[in-house]
Structures are given as structure tokens and as C-alpha cells.
Amino acid sequence: MTFPAPLTGVVPPVCTPLTPDREVDVPSLLRLVEHLVEGGVHGLFVLGSTSEAAFLTDRQRRLVVETVVGHIGAQLPVLAGAIDMTTPRVLDHVTAVTAAGAQAVVVTAPFYARTHPSEIVHHYRRIAAASPVPVIAYDIPVAVHTKLPAELVLGLAADGVLAGLKDSSGDLAAFREVVTGARAHAGFSVLTGSELTVDSALALGADGAVPGLANVDPHGYVRLYRLCRAGDWEAARSEQERLCALFGMVGVGDPARMGTSSSAIGAFKAALHLRGIIDCAVTAEPQVPLSGDEVAKVGKFLAGAGLL
Amino acid sequence: MTFPAPLTGVVPPVCTPLTPDREVDVPSLLRLVEHLVEGGVHGLFVLGSTSEAAFLTDRQRRLVVETVVGHIGAQLPVLAGAIDMTTPRVLDHVTAVTAAGAQAVVVTAPFYARTHPSEIVHHYRRIAAASPVPVIAYDIPVAVHTKLPAELVLGLAADGVLAGLKDSSGDLAAFREVVTGARAHAGFSVLTGSELTVDSALALGADGAVPGLANVDPHGYVRLYRLCRAGDWEAARSEQERLCALFGMVGVGDPARMGTSSSAIGAFKAALHLRGIIDCAVTAEPQVPLSGDEVAKVGKFLAGAGLL
Amino acid sequence: MTFPAPLTGVVPPVCTPLTPDREVDVPSLLRLVEHLVEGGVHGLFVLGSTSEAAFLTDRQRRLVVETVVGHIGAQLPVLAGAIDMTTPRVLDHVTAVTAAGAQAVVVTAPFYARTHPSEIVHHYRRIAAASPVPVIAYDIPVAVHTKLPAELVLGLAADGVLAGLKDSSGDLAAFREVVTGARAHAGFSVLTGSELTVDSALALGADGAVPGLANVDPHGYVRLYRLCRAGDWEAARSEQERLCALFGMVGVGDPARMGTSSSAIGAFKAALHLRGIIDCAVTAEPQVPLSGDEVAKVGKFLAGAGLL
Amino acid sequence: MTFPAPLTGVVPPVCTPLTPDREVDVPSLLRLVEHLVEGGVHGLFVLGSTSEAAFLTDRQRRLVVETVVGHIGAQLPVLAGAIDMTTPRVLDHVTAVTAAGAQAVVVTAPFYARTHPSEIVHHYRRIAAASPVPVIAYDIPVAVHTKLPAELVLGLAADGVLAGLKDSSGDLAAFREVVTGARAHAGFSVLTGSELTVDSALALGADGAVPGLANVDPHGYVRLYRLCRAGDWEAARSEQERLCALFGMVGVGDPARMGTSSSAIGAFKAALHLRGIIDCAVTAEPQVPLSGDEVAKVGKFLAGAGLL
């Protein structure tokens, strides 16, 4: 399939179900993909942060892409994260995920190494030059400790280096600057990574959303997307607020016992397990599992949103 | 060889010379190792931050360890970094570098994923359980954005999980807490990663140092170590101050044009090239090369320290 | 006058014009107030960050409040910042600004001293207990290095401690949590401090906005507010985008020569001077003045927005 | 008295004892000053961070300086903090504390307002030009969120703007750069604010120390200073380690209930109360008081150090 330019709609970052001994659970992954397709999503993003890409070995990453691409075929565009510290290591992942069939790669700024805007620019240029598929920038300061400046992204869009931006920065004002500026660059896709302000992002002109919570409730996000596209902002706000309440599940984990990643990804997986979509809610190491009480709270969030 | 417990002395994080097309330059790497051995160092740390481990592909990392271990044999202990984001990925590196002959592994806290002290503890426990060689914790907040708390390190030392600490945090007060506390744990090695306060660290009881600048001037750091061990603090201070002046080279790169990693590693490699030890001063991508003027400034630092 | 509950509409943080020798320029301040009133604003916020409250002496702060309140009478509500490091010092400012006639006080979390959520709660409780007028929380992490958690704000709203929130955090998702939660607390006012996402904030239910740029173009922000209230989101977006372009003026200052405060407040004052509203564009020390070229760029932003 | 150039020795940041209703407890303050003088200290620093300057009203600050200067006369140099956000406000404090008799002022970088190195330089130049007494820079990034660069401090030392540096940054390598560079500027005083590495700082050439814990054990720090000056580094290390163990008291406060300031200053005041020096251990608002159990732990630290 031709990769859409611009990519639009709801593109969930697909969770990676694991077996109790922490191997990729292929049947559960396929059921999750079916659940998302049935929910009406417009694309699939594998190996993102919500997919626990940072925790998967190279072998597991490859298996995830092959599994999803092999199953979905040309039905939906499949984007894959190529998450690593620096240019040479990212290039190896680009080779691996495109060989496995990914139709676009999603790449962060360098991390671990201290970096500089001119180095970030060079990073994206080198990767785009080597990649057989479009490159989408992934702005996620909470993970890489750098914010991609709007003018940097727009400069690379103008030069055809980047095909889009997935913005998980939470900074809507900077996001707006990219959305507005990108109107000059036909085909460039601006996607929000937020679960909580999808209506706001679409209202100001975003092309779509990549919400982790769409694993749990794809129908809700697709409904929200359609309401926004139809200009029914009142109904959109109401649907968004229902999803905001559901998102409260990411806080069930005791902060004295675990980090926010353990809590949020643990909650998404517990919800998928409670909804009968995946077999096992385990997360990758060194993340801490939710307790029984915490899982019960996830169930209450599902019930409150009409999903149980 | 048996890995020393505790490891003591000067253990440089070995730079990784590259060819102009950014492959590992094996002959230059061997000359650099010879230069360090001749300088009297007490061990070699490959695949650390100064080694550009974050920039090397898995294939390159393996080649570095094989080259250095193959050459040095049982002459000196060789430690290898297993630098990656999370437990499963670090475990793969531990397997690779120990298969290639590394006698200890050096491991940071998880990064990219948001983390929690209990998750860091679990991370080190899992890695130590799986590693055939001693595990040394690598505290480098500037890269991983977490500081290893002293009590966490001491707890893992008490349980025999960790064999040592390489502290690149720059926080001497916290370092002292580990040094003092570690006296209860025979064989635990506390090493400073600082170039600039080696005399201070040794005076308060550290076992050794892992200074990146020792690539350029191993004789100086070995001399400094011996003066400290002999209790000749006046002469030690004088040698340390000479090395501090030499370290000024890390600032030659224009901050409007490059990050601190490009400048510092670029300067070390330029110095090694000017001293005739490596063939090419190129750094890995996306780092920015030093200009001719900036390299000339490196030369002045070398001349000022009596090294040219 | 009775202070409105909730406060709604456009409430500019009023710039503090200074004379060339950096005294409060009372005639210019009165002209600025007239300009804002004529623009249709719904209240005035003096001694905020845009007012350079951090730079004004106690004597100057008092003069500002007396001047504005004395002029405006009961025409519009006047809020005053009580910006200082800790509870006892803030209490002194509350006494001073309410004696001078302020009808509400705006208070940040403690700063300089390291703080804790329980201490922030105690801070607001003590201040509200002592204040003769309503207390509005001021969430400005870029200045105080703490983000007010939504649940903390909502807890204090529920207890009647806080009468509102001015949110300058830039985090629209957290802002939404307060807006949604505050529906349970009649009379509580949720105001955005952003210049760039006023339409988004109002669309999700905010009561009003406190945009620094409204000094320069009050008519624009009042128009934007009315369009949002009328549900004309297309026209609102267009007006907001015009104001976003105008806001570009805050970046005219050379970052090699000055900080963002010098540049942004310098630009607002230069614009007010170019529009003939204030006599002198000088900012308080140690801020750096804009160059002639930089002021010329401010003029181009004004021209581009149809304001010159 | 002439202010010493350079100032050397142990210069405690004097705690500010409060009454139960949080007024300055003058008799306790005088007893504390006597305790410090009797301990052999070389100067007194009032209105520093450990003095809770950030929490004291202007009236209370004046009372502290008048009380201490009135009592101590020309016996010892008295330095006073002039802690506020920006140049005009700091200048008011400089006027107040020098009118009350302070012989030097201690001034941080601007805070709350975002700042830039050129603005920090201008800040110190303006203050020094207006101050009738020497100005000492106070580097405390944990409070003001800016680190004073070594070259900035040395440039202002060279120009005679600054008379010294109190470094509470915890960055010994940067501190060393100032110490080494300041040898060219006779009379410039470089003081460490650390409690835990005083021996290290003196060994590399510092002039003295400003340790908050010296309120509790002035004799210990004076002994440590003398041992360092005598070059008896073994005995110095032993004394320093005793003081490090005593400093553990700053961690008695439950981090789930209070911030580090409440815990550390609370512990110092509890220790002074337990030692019979001050009447009441209360801290300023919004700090949280230590519980009875936490105070008991302070007592154990005192007993362990031979002070009860």
C-alpha cells in the first residue's frame, strides 16, 4: 500500500502483550490488533513507548512487526518505532523494521548522549536519507529530555526530510505552531500523542491522534475523531471527557512502590485483560506489577466508562 | 584472571577510534590500548560513555570487546559497558560482552522509560542473577536523568548484587556516603568518574578513578594515583591541577554549533590524533566535528601540559 | 464592588510602564489602563509576572495598586499579585495590596525554599485565612519550579480556600482536569495564562484568560473571547491564529544577549510605546534592553497584525 | 572593623530561633551567637538559607541583623544575606542590612524571573556599585535554579565587583575552578557551603566554610578547619566523617509529609533545642514541624556524635 500523505485519524500505539515468562504473546497481539481494526482505527503504531519498545529485545521487536504486518497486510498503514540512543543504532532498527514490513518509521531525538539542535537535525537527515520509508519525528521530552523545537520540525518538513510529527510533549502551544506552519507543506502529518486533549488538537488543525488509551477503547477515540471532523464540538467534548475519566486508570499504581510507566502500561494491560482481549497483563522488567487491589480499581474505571 | 576485589587504580574508559567512514579502527584501538598499558593503568573500561558506546552498533560493540580482550589477555582486567534502556536489552548486551571476554559489566539505571528506585533495584538484581561476571553500577545522571541514591547502592553492595560503583554524578558528598558505607562490604570498589577531583576522591577513601582524560594522559593519572596512595597530597594537588588545566580542552567546541559530547569526545580524539596514537579523530554520528581552529586549540592544551 | 464569582472574560496582566530612571510612570500606566478598558476587558491583574512584579520594590508595588484602583474605581475588578517566597512574606504583601484597594490576591506556590505539596496546601490555607479578599492560585512552574497538582487545587476549591486558578503552566491536560473538576464548585474561576491556546481553553470550559499580549491588543482578545462564547469556533480559531502570529514578537530579543523575560516583556513594552500608549519602553533591572533592530522587528509584528 | 580580605575560617549561617508564635526569639538568638563565638568561629552569616531568610519578613530580617551586630560589635565579621528576586528588590535589602550594621552582603543570582548570564553580571555590577560594603556571591542552584558559571564569578572577581563566593552548589569540580582561578585575585574569598566535604574543599585551597551544621557543632567544624590548616589530613578526615554522620539528622523528617527544608532546618533547630541553646524549635511557615519521633531521632544523632 502507499503510505497516506498525510496520515490522518486514530493510530493507536499498540500494546505488546507478553506471556507470563515475558515473551511476546503472539495470539494475544493478534486479538488486540483485531480489536483495534474492529474499533475502526486508521493505522497502527507498533514499537512505541506504550508498546514497551524500550523494554523489548531486538528479536522481540522484529517479531512484533512481522506479526502485525503479516496479519494486517495492506488493510491499514503500520508505523514502527525505531527507538534507540543515536543515529547508527537507530539506522540498524530502521533496517530491521522495514525489512519486517513497516511502512513508516517513528524516530525520537538522540538520547543518553547530550545533544544539540544541529545534531538533532543531522540525525534526522541521515536517517531519512537511509530509510526506504517515510520518517515521522517523535517528540517525547519525558523520555529523551529534549523538546523538538517547532522551527526545527518545520524546517525538516520543508526539506522533505520528515513526513510527520507525533507530539507527546503535552505542549499544545508549540504543537499549534507546527500545525499552523505545516499547512505550507502538503502531505505532512501532525499527530497528537495526548489522550486528554484530542478534541483541542483536532480543533486547531491536527491530522490525527496516537493515544495509548485507544488500546483499551478504540471505539471511543474513533467516535471522538468523527465528531471533531463533523464539527460537532459539544458532543466531541462530552466523548473526550468520558475518555479523560477513563484515563484516570493510569494513576492506580501506588507511587511509593512503582514509577508512572509501571502504573500506566500496567493499567492499560490490566484493562485489556479484564476486557478479555489479551491473556496476561504482565509488563516487561524492571516494571513493577499492579496489585490485585490496583487491578480492581482499573475494573472500576472500565465499568465507569461503560466498558465492562 | 580473577577479577580484583576491590578493583583499584586508574581504569580509563577507552575511546573507540573510528575510520573516516565510521567503522571501528582496530589498529588505532590497539595502539591506544598499548599507550594506556605503557602508561601504567590498572584496568580498561570499554564501551563506556567516553567510548561512545551510545553511538556504536551491536556489531561494533562486540568488535571492540573482542579486540581489546584478545590483545590484552590476562594482563589487565577489562570491564565492558552494557548500556541500554531496560533490563531485557541490557541482559542481551551482558551476554554479548561476556561472550566476547569482558571480566565485569558496567550497568546504568534504566533510562528512556520513567523509573523508580524499586525498579532500579529490581533491574540490578535481575542483571546480577544472570551475569556470569561481576556487575558494577554506573551512576551517570547527565545521561540517564536519575541519580543512584547512596543507600540503594549500599543495599545492593550488602547483598552481593553489586561489585562496585562508577560514579560520574559529580556529587562528592553522595560519593563519600558510598565510600564510607562501603567499608563494611569487603571487596566493593568505589570509583570516581571525575577527571577533576581524583585527589579529593582518593583522599576520602575511593578505590580508584575512571577518567576519560586518561586516554590522553595516562601517565599523569597514574602519577596522581601513586602520589595520593603515598599520602603526598601537595604533589598530588599540583599534578591534579595540571590535569585540570589539560581538561580545559573539552570546552574547545563552539556551543552555538555543537553539544558538549561532540566537544569533549571530539577533543579527546583530536588530542590522541595529535599525539600520534590514533589515525583519525572522527566521532560517531550525529556528533559534529571540531573545526580546524578548535583542533588547534586542543593542540595548545597539549603543549601547555607538556604533551606535545 | 462585589468580586465576581466566578470571574470570567479577559483579564490582562497589566504591564508596569517605567520612566527612564526606572520609576513607575503613572501617566503611562493610566493611559494603558484606559487602553485596556476601551478594549473591553473584564478585569485587570496588576503585579503579575508580565507586570514585572518580581522586579518592583514594595514601594513601587503599592503605587501601582493605588494608581490603578484609584483610577478604575468600581468599574472593573482589580486583582493584585502578592508574589514572594513564603507565607510570612506573602502575607505582608496581601496586607499591602488589599490596603491599597485590590479586590483579590493572586498567589504562587512558595519558591526559593524547597517545598512539598503538604506545605503548599498549608501556605494557601494560612493566606486565605488572613486575606480580606478572595485568593486565586497562580500556577507558574517556569518561575517557581513547582507545578500545582490538579487534585491539590480542587481540594482547596472544595474547601473554599481558593476562589480560582490562573494557570500559566502550559499543560492543557492538567488544566482540563481542574476545569472539569471545578464544575462541582460554583463560583470557582479557572483562567488560562496562555496567549496561544485561549480558544482551546475556552472550548473545554475555562472561565477566561489572562494573556500578557492583551496589553498590546486587548480588542483582539476580547473579540476572541466573544467568538468562543458564541460558539463560532471557526472565526475564533482565525482570530487566535492572528494573535499567535502577533505573539511571535516575544522572540525578537537575541538569545545570546538576553533571557526570555527581557525579550518578551521588552517586546510588549516596545509595542505599547510604538502604539503611542506608554512614554518609554524601558524594563526593570537586570533585564537587558532590546536593540533598535529588535524594536523594529516588534514594529513589523504590529504591522502584520494590523495594529500600526 | 575592617572586613577581612580574604575572609577565612568557619562562618556559620546562623539559624533564626523563633518563638511559638513565630516571632524572632531574641534571647535565644543571642545565646546561639554566644554558643558559636565560644565554639571559635571566624565570622557569622545571618539571613542565609539556613537562617530561613526566605521566610522572614523585612521587619524580622532587620531585627536579626540589629540583634547580632549589636551584640557582637567588632568582635567578628557579620555578613548578611540580601535574598530577593531581582536587582531593585535586592538593593532595598542591601540598604536595610547595611544600615543595621552588616559588614558584607551575600547575594544570589536573580530568581523567579528567567535569567541569562549577561543579566546576572549586570545584577552583581549594579549591586556592588550601590553597596557600601563588600558583595559576596551566593551560588545556590537548588534555590535559584541557576548555577553561577566559574568564569562569570572569576570575571567579576577580576573587576573587583565581588569580594568572594559562597558555593552551595555541591559541584566540587566547578568550585575548584574558582579556587584555582581566584589565586590571581588577592583578597577574594572562596567558601564552601557544604557540610560534608569541608576537608576536600580546604585541601584544594578554599578559604573557609559556611556549614549550616556548625550551628549545632561549631567546635567540630573549627577543629576540622584547624586540622586541615595544619595539614593533618588523616585526623581531618576522621573529624569530617564524624560530622557527616551527625549531618544524617537532616533526613529525619518523613518525605511523605514534608519537604527537605522542613526536615533539615527542623532538625538543626531541634538539635539546638535539645542542646539547651534555643527555647523553641519551631520553624517558619509553611514548613511542617517534626514529630516527636523525628525529634527523638535527632537526639540519637546528637548522642552518636558525643553532643548530648
Side-chain angles (χ1 to χ4, degrees):
Chain A
M1 76 181 296
T2 314
F3 193 76
L7 178 66
T8 61
V10 177
V11 184
V14 185
C15 282
T16 308
L18 300 177
T19 64
D21 56 351
R22 297 194 167 80
E23 283 303 326
V24 175
D25 177 349
V26 170
S28 289
L29 177 55
L30 292 177
R31 280 200 304 278
L32 173 55
V33 165
E34 274 311 298
H35 162 69
L36 298 173
V37 170
E38 187 270 326
V41 304
H42 306 85
L44 298 172
F45 171 33
V46 297
L47 305 185
S49 301
T50 302
S51 321
E52 299 174 90
F55 300 87
L56 300 177
T57 63
D58 288 353
R59 183 179 54 74
Q60 292 175 325
R61 290 187 180 196
R62 218 159 31 233
L63 176 55
V64 165
V65 183
E66 286 167 356
T67 299
V68 173
V69 171
H71 183 77
I72 210 74
Q75 209 178 338
L76 281 181
V78 177
L79 299 70
I83 309 297
D84 216 315
M85 295 172 247
T86 59
T87 317
R89 294 185 63 82
V90 170
L91 285 173
D92 274 5
H93 292 291
V94 169
T95 301
V97 299
T98 55
Q103 288 138 356
V105 291
V106 184
V107 174
T108 71
F111 52 95
Y112 188 89
R114 281 126 280 173
T115 198
H116 184 276
S118 71
E119 294 161 358
I120 297 174
V121 166
H122 182 56
H123 178 66
Y124 281 117
R125 288 192 185 283
R126 279 286 289 121
I127 290 161
S131 173
V133 299
V135 177
I136 292 176
Y138 190 175
D139 191 20
I140 183 162
V142 75
V144 306
H145 302 278
T146 307
K147 170 94 184 78
L148 292 179
E151 63 268 35
L152 186 155
V153 171
L154 290 170
L156 293 173
D159 293 354
V161 172
L162 293 177
L165 170 72
K166 190 222 157 175
D167 181 330
S168 296
S169 74
D171 181 343
L172 193 72
F175 181 77
R176 173 168 234 156
E177 192 177 345
V178 177
V179 167
T180 309
R183 285 182 201 142
H185 311 304
F188 188 84
S189 173
V190 192
L191 308 168
T192 177
S194 173
E195 275 89 356
L196 302 170
T197 57
V198 173
D199 57 343
S200 311
L202 292 171
L204 58 76
D207 295 293
V210 189
L213 185 62
N215 283 278
V216 177
D217 190 4
H219 302 82
Y221 278 99
V222 169
R223 207 152 47 223
L224 171 58
Y225 178 74
R226 289 181 184 152
L227 289 166
C228 292
R229 281 290 167 259
D232 187 349
W233 298 109
E234 273 307 298
R237 180 164 85 165
S238 173
E239 182 65 26
Q240 175 70 78
E241 290 183 2
R242 190 186 62 82
L243 290 164
C244 289
L246 180 63
F247 190 69
M249 74 169 62
V250 303
V252 298
D254 178 2
R257 210 163 49 82
M258 69 183 73
T260 55
S261 165
S262 295
S263 181
I265 298 181
F268 291 165
K269 287 188 152 181
L272 289 170
H273 184 240
L274 289 169
R275 295 199 74 191
I277 295 157
I278 66 174
D279 284 339
C280 169
V282 74
T283 53
E285 290 183 314
Q287 291 173 100
V288 168
L290 298 182
S291 70
D293 275 4
E294 289 161 348
V295 170
K297 284 184 195 164
V298 171
K300 281 182 190 153
F301 279 101
L302 288 176
L307 295 177
L308 260 200
Chain B
M1 76 179 299
T2 315
F3 192 76
L7 178 67
T8 61
V10 177
V11 184
V14 184
C15 283
T16 307
L18 300 177
T19 64
D21 56 352
R22 295 194 168 82
E23 282 303 325
V24 176
D25 176 349
V26 170
S28 288
L29 177 55
L30 292 177
R31 280 201 303 279
L32 173 55
V33 166
E34 273 311 298
H35 162 68
L36 298 173
V37 170
E38 188 270 327
V41 304
H42 306 85
L44 298 172
F45 171 33
V46 297
L47 305 184
S49 302
T50 302
S51 320
E52 298 175 89
F55 300 87
L56 300 177
T57 64
D58 288 353
R59 183 179 54 76
Q60 292 175 325
R61 289 187 181 197
R62 218 161 28 235
L63 176 56
V64 165
V65 183
E66 285 168 356
T67 300
V68 173
V69 172
H71 183 76
I72 210 75
Q75 210 178 337
L76 280 181
V78 177
L79 299 71
I83 308 298
D84 216 314
M85 296 172 247
T86 59
T87 317
R89 294 185 63 82
V90 170
L91 286 172
D92 273 6
H93 292 291
V94 169
T95 300
V97 298
T98 56
Q103 288 138 357
V105 290
V106 184
V107 174
T108 71
F111 51 95
Y112 188 89
R114 281 124 281 172
T115 199
H116 183 276
S118 71
E119 294 162 357
I120 296 174
V121 166
H122 182 57
H123 178 67
Y124 281 118
R125 287 193 185 283
R126 280 287 289 122
I127 290 161
S131 173
V133 299
V135 177
I136 293 176
Y138 189 176
D139 192 19
I140 184 162
V142 75
V144 306
H145 302 277
T146 308
K147 170 94 183 77
L148 292 179
E151 64 268 34
L152 186 157
V153 172
L154 290 170
L156 293 172
D159 293 354
V161 171
L162 293 178
L165 171 71
K166 189 222 159 175
D167 181 331
S168 296
S169 73
D171 180 343
L172 193 72
F175 182 77
R176 173 168 233 156
E177 192 177 345
V178 177
V179 167
T180 310
R183 285 182 201 142
H185 311 305
F188 189 86
S189 173
V190 193
L191 308 168
T192 178
S194 173
E195 275 90 358
L196 302 170
T197 57
V198 173
D199 58 343
S200 311
L202 293 171
L204 58 77
D207 295 293
V210 189
L213 186 62
N215 282 279
V216 178
D217 190 4
H219 303 82
Y221 278 99
V222 169
R223 206 151 49 223
L224 171 58
Y225 179 74
R226 288 182 184 149
L227 289 166
C228 292
R229 281 291 168 258
D232 187 349
W233 299 109
E234 273 308 298
R237 180 165 85 165
S238 173
E239 182 66 25
Q240 176 69 77
E241 291 182 0
R242 190 187 62 83
L243 291 163
C244 288
L246 181 62
F247 188 71
M249 73 169 61
V250 303
V252 298
D254 178 2
R257 209 163 49 83
M258 69 183 73
T260 55
S261 166
S262 294
S263 180
I265 299 181
F268 290 165
K269 286 187 151 181
L272 288 170
H273 183 240
L274 289 168
R275 295 199 74 192
I277 295 157
I278 67 174
D279 284 339
C280 169
V282 75
T283 54
E285 290 181 314
Q287 291 172 101
V288 168
L290 298 181
S291 69
D293 275 4
E294 290 162 348
V295 170
K297 285 185 195 163
V298 171
K300 280 182 190 153
F301 278 101
L302 288 175
L307 296 177
L308 259 200
Chain C
M1 74 180 300
T2 314
F3 192 76
L7 178 66
T8 60
V10 177
V11 184
V14 184
C15 282
T16 308
L18 299 177
T19 64
D21 56 351
R22 296 194 167 79
E23 282 304 324
V24 175
D25 177 349
V26 170
S28 289
L29 177 56
L30 293 177
R31 279 201 304 278
L32 173 56
V33 165
E34 274 311 299
H35 161 69
L36 298 173
V37 170
E38 189 269 326
V41 305
H42 306 86
L44 298 172
F45 171 33
V46 298
L47 305 184
S49 303
T50 303
S51 320
E52 298 175 89
F55 301 87
L56 300 177
T57 65
D58 288 353
R59 184 179 53 75
Q60 292 175 325
R61 290 187 180 196
R62 219 161 28 235
L63 177 54
V64 165
V65 182
E66 286 167 356
T67 300
V68 173
V69 172
H71 183 77
I72 210 75
Q75 210 179 337
L76 279 182
V78 177
L79 300 70
I83 309 298
D84 216 315
M85 294 171 251
T86 59
T87 317
R89 294 185 63 81
V90 170
L91 286 172
D92 273 7
H93 292 290
V94 169
T95 300
V97 298
T98 56
Q103 288 139 354
V105 290
V106 184
V107 175
T108 71
F111 51 94
Y112 188 89
R114 281 126 280 173
T115 198
H116 183 276
S118 71
E119 294 162 357
I120 297 173
V121 166
H122 182 57
H123 178 67
Y124 281 118
R125 288 191 185 283
R126 280 286 289 121
I127 289 161
S131 172
V133 300
V135 176
I136 292 175
Y138 190 175
D139 192 19
I140 183 162
V142 74
V144 307
H145 302 277
T146 307
K147 170 94 184 77
L148 292 179
E151 64 268 36
L152 185 156
V153 172
L154 289 170
L156 293 172
D159 292 354
V161 172
L162 293 177
L165 170 72
K166 190 223 158 176
D167 182 329
S168 297
S169 73
D171 180 344
L172 192 73
F175 182 77
R176 172 166 235 157
E177 192 176 344
V178 177
V179 167
T180 309
R183 287 182 199 142
H185 312 304
F188 188 85
S189 173
V190 192
L191 308 168
T192 178
S194 172
E195 275 90 357
L196 302 170
T197 57
V198 173
D199 57 344
S200 311
L202 292 171
L204 58 78
D207 295 294
V210 190
L213 185 63
N215 282 278
V216 178
D217 190 4
H219 302 81
Y221 278 100
V222 169
R223 206 152 47 224
L224 171 58
Y225 178 74
R226 289 182 184 150
L227 289 166
C228 291
R229 281 290 169 260
D232 187 350
W233 299 110
E234 274 307 298
R237 180 166 86 166
S238 172
E239 182 66 27
Q240 175 69 79
E241 290 182 3
R242 190 187 62 81
L243 290 163
C244 288
L246 180 63
F247 189 70
M249 73 169 61
V250 303
V252 297
D254 177 2
R257 208 163 49 83
M258 69 183 73
T260 55
S261 167
S262 295
S263 180
I265 300 181
F268 291 164
K269 287 187 152 181
L272 289 169
H273 184 240
L274 289 169
R275 296 199 73 190
I277 296 156
I278 68 174
D279 284 340
C280 169
V282 74
T283 53
E285 291 182 313
Q287 290 171 103
V288 168
L290 297 182
S291 69
D293 274 4
E294 290 162 347
V295 170
K297 284 184 196 163
V298 171
K300 281 183 190 153
F301 278 102
L302 288 175
L307 296 176
L308 259 199
Chain D
M1 74 180 300
T2 314
F3 192 75
L7 177 67
T8 61
V10 176
V11 184
V14 184
C15 282
T16 308
L18 300 177
T19 64
D21 56 352
R22 296 194 167 80
E23 282 303 325
V24 176
D25 177 349
V26 170
S28 288
L29 177 55
L30 292 177
R31 279 201 304 279
L32 174 55
V33 165
E34 274 311 299
H35 162 69
L36 298 173
V37 170
E38 188 270 326
V41 304
H42 307 86
L44 298 171
F45 171 33
V46 298
L47 304 184
S49 302
T50 302
S51 320
E52 298 174 90
F55 301 87
L56 300 177
T57 64
D58 288 354
R59 184 180 53 75
Q60 292 175 325
R61 290 187 180 195
R62 216 157 35 231
L63 177 55
V64 165
V65 182
E66 286 167 356
T67 300
V68 173
V69 171
H71 183 77
I72 210 74
Q75 210 177 335
L76 280 182
V78 177
L79 300 71
I83 309 297
D84 217 316
M85 294 171 250
T86 59
T87 317
R89 295 185 63 81
V90 170
L91 286 172
D92 273 6
H93 292 290
V94 168
T95 301
V97 299
T98 56
Q103 289 139 355
V105 290
V106 183
V107 174
T108 71
F111 51 94
Y112 188 89
R114 281 126 280 174
T115 198
H116 183 277
S118 72
E119 294 162 357
I120 297 174
V121 166
H122 181 57
H123 179 67
Y124 281 118
R125 287 193 186 282
R126 280 285 289 121
I127 290 161
S131 173
V133 300
V135 177
I136 292 175
Y138 190 175
D139 191 19
I140 183 163
V142 74
V144 306
H145 301 277
T146 308
K147 170 94 185 77
L148 293 179
E151 65 269 34
L152 185 157
V153 172
L154 290 170
L156 293 172
D159 292 354
V161 171
L162 293 177
L165 171 72
K166 189 221 158 177
D167 181 330
S168 297
S169 73
D171 181 343
L172 193 73
F175 182 77
R176 173 167 234 157
E177 192 177 345
V178 177
V179 167
T180 309
R183 285 182 201 141
H185 312 304
F188 189 85
S189 173
V190 191
L191 308 168
T192 177
S194 172
E195 276 89 356
L196 302 171
T197 57
V198 173
D199 57 343
S200 311
L202 293 171
L204 57 78
D207 295 293
V210 190
L213 186 63
N215 283 278
V216 178
D217 190 5
H219 303 82
Y221 278 99
V222 169
R223 207 152 46 225
L224 171 58
Y225 179 74
R226 289 181 184 150
L227 289 166
C228 292
R229 281 291 168 261
D232 186 350
W233 299 109
E234 273 308 298
R237 180 165 85 165
S238 173
E239 183 65 25
Q240 176 68 78
E241 290 183 2
R242 190 186 63 81
L243 290 163
C244 288
L246 181 62
F247 189 70
M249 73 169 61
V250 303
V252 297
D254 177 3
R257 208 163 51 82
M258 68 183 73
T260 54
S261 165
S262 295
S263 180
I265 299 181
F268 291 165
K269 287 187 151 182
L272 289 170
H273 183 240
L274 289 168
R275 296 199 73 191
I277 295 157
I278 68 174
D279 284 339
C280 170
V282 74
T283 53
E285 291 182 314
Q287 291 171 102
V288 168
L290 297 182
S291 70
D293 274 4
E294 289 162 348
V295 170
K297 283 184 195 164
V298 171
K300 280 181 191 154
F301 278 101
L302 288 175
L307 296 176
L308 259 199

